[in-house]
Amino acid sequence: NIKGFIFDLDGVLTDTAEFHYRSWQKLADEENLNFNRQINEQLRGVSRMQSLEIILAGQEVPTAQKKEWTDRKNEYYQEYLAELTKKNILDDMEAKLHQLKKAGYKLAVGSSSRNAKKVLKNLQISDLFDTISDGNSVERAKPAPDLFLHTAEVIGLEPAECVVLEDAESGVEAALAAGMIAVGIGPAERVGKAHLVYTSVSDIDFEEVLTKI
Ligand code: B16
Ligand code: MG
């Protein structure tokens, strides 16, 4: 019996992936690191430091240097966030959120991003959610189930009562590991392990989600 929905942020409610990409690219150009759009695809849903590890591909770098690089990347990213507005909400997600809320479902955000609260504030949808879990909420990032389990606990639901909407492979894995229903958004190669898959956010049909699972 489904009682709540947990939304990933980047790739589900908004598309900040392009801003993450440009910020990493700028850092990579400055520091002569190998980076491109293809490598960027692997960073979907992955935490900031883990993203740098993927870019470094085994190259050894002192911890202090890594910290300075991730901090700098985040400064570039925050410059983009300053320009983020309601217009950046993906498709009709806001209308869909209102419908679910009206129908009595609990709504939450479960994002790997430490900037999630700022992003939601700029999108002007923070108030729609019963709780917002982000990259600061738990230690172990997706694909560990911790973030989603923590979110369910805060809103007082059992894992099996929650549906997670995710665009990242690591996020789908986290939802499944948490014992929740996973709805994947994107190509089957990426989110095919989910219980139900939609190609894009605009295709999500919540009536169908609730009847099919
Ligand atoms: P930050 P999500 C994730 O957000 C992004 O998909 C991922 O590309 C990013 O590296 C991660 O947040 C961390 O973001 O640097 O802002 O802490 O998809 O889990 O909402
Ligand atoms: Mg995502």
Side-chain angles (χ1 to χ4, degrees):
N1 189 9
I2 299 305
K3 294 185 181 165
F5 291 85
I6 304 175
F7 294 83
D8 172 52
L9 180 59
D10 181 21
V12 173
L13 295 175
T14 185
D15 199 3
T16 35
E18 180 66 20
F19 300 150
H20 280 296
Y21 162 70
R22 288 185 204 166
S23 310
W24 281 122
Q25 189 67 66
K26 189 167 179 200
L27 176 82
D29 290 346
E30 287 167 353
E31 298 299 335
N32 279 315
L33 303 172
N34 180 35
F35 188 67
N36 53 44
R37 281 194 185 270
Q38 208 183 329
I39 298 171
N40 186 62
E41 267 304 298
Q42 299 170 38
L43 310 186
R44 207 175 267 271
V46 173
S47 74
R48 199 180 306 161
M49 191 52 85
Q50 189 55 35
S51 296
L52 178 62
E53 296 292 356
I54 291 172
I55 294 168
L56 291 174
Q59 186 187 326
E60 299 226 13
V61 172
T63 308
Q65 180 81 83
K66 287 196 239 181
K67 171 86 170 62
E68 195 272 312
W69 284 353
T70 49
D71 284 352
R72 202 190 316 160
K73 180 268 175 181
N74 194 47
E75 274 172 35
Y76 298 149
Y77 181 62
Q78 291 199 341
E79 285 170 24
Y80 287 111
L81 290 192
E83 290 162 39
L84 204 73
T85 69
K86 225 174 176 38
K87 291 199 292 284
N88 295 90
I89 299 173
L90 277 175
D91 297 286
D92 58 346
M93 277 313 255
E94 192 177 5
K96 283 173 169 161
L97 289 168
H98 278 287
Q99 280 170 15
L100 291 172
K101 204 170 171 64
K102 231 173 115 186
Y105 292 101
K106 294 261 187 192
L107 302 182
V109 170
S111 167
S112 303
S113 174
R114 295 195 140 100
N115 293 292
K117 289 195 171 124
K118 180 159 189 194
V119 171
L120 290 163
K121 182 167 176 261
N122 290 8
L123 298 176
Q124 296 166 50
I125 50 173
S126 307
D127 293 348
L128 282 170
F129 299 100
D130 296 288
T131 196
I132 296 164
S133 303
D134 63 15
N136 304 304
S137 303
V138 295
E139 289 227 343
R140 289 197 305 164
K142 303 169 188 177
D146 305 29
L147 183 76
F148 292 137
L149 289 174
H150 167 80
T151 309
E153 202 181 309
V154 175
I155 55 176
L157 298 184
E158 293 297 324
E161 296 173 327
C162 300
V163 173
V164 172
L165 291 102
E166 259 292 348
D167 71 310
E169 185 175 20
S170 62
V172 168
E173 285 172 1
L176 296 176
M180 299 179 179
I181 302 294
V183 174
I185 296 143
E189 306 90 84
R190 197 171 77 209
V191 293
K193 288 179 197 152
H195 293 95
L196 205 60
V197 172
Y198 292 106
T199 309
S200 76
V201 166
S202 55
D203 299 326
I204 304 172
D205 178 344
F206 283 98
E207 295 271 336
E208 185 182 58
V209 171
L210 288 163
T211 51
K212 272 202 179 173
I213 53 180

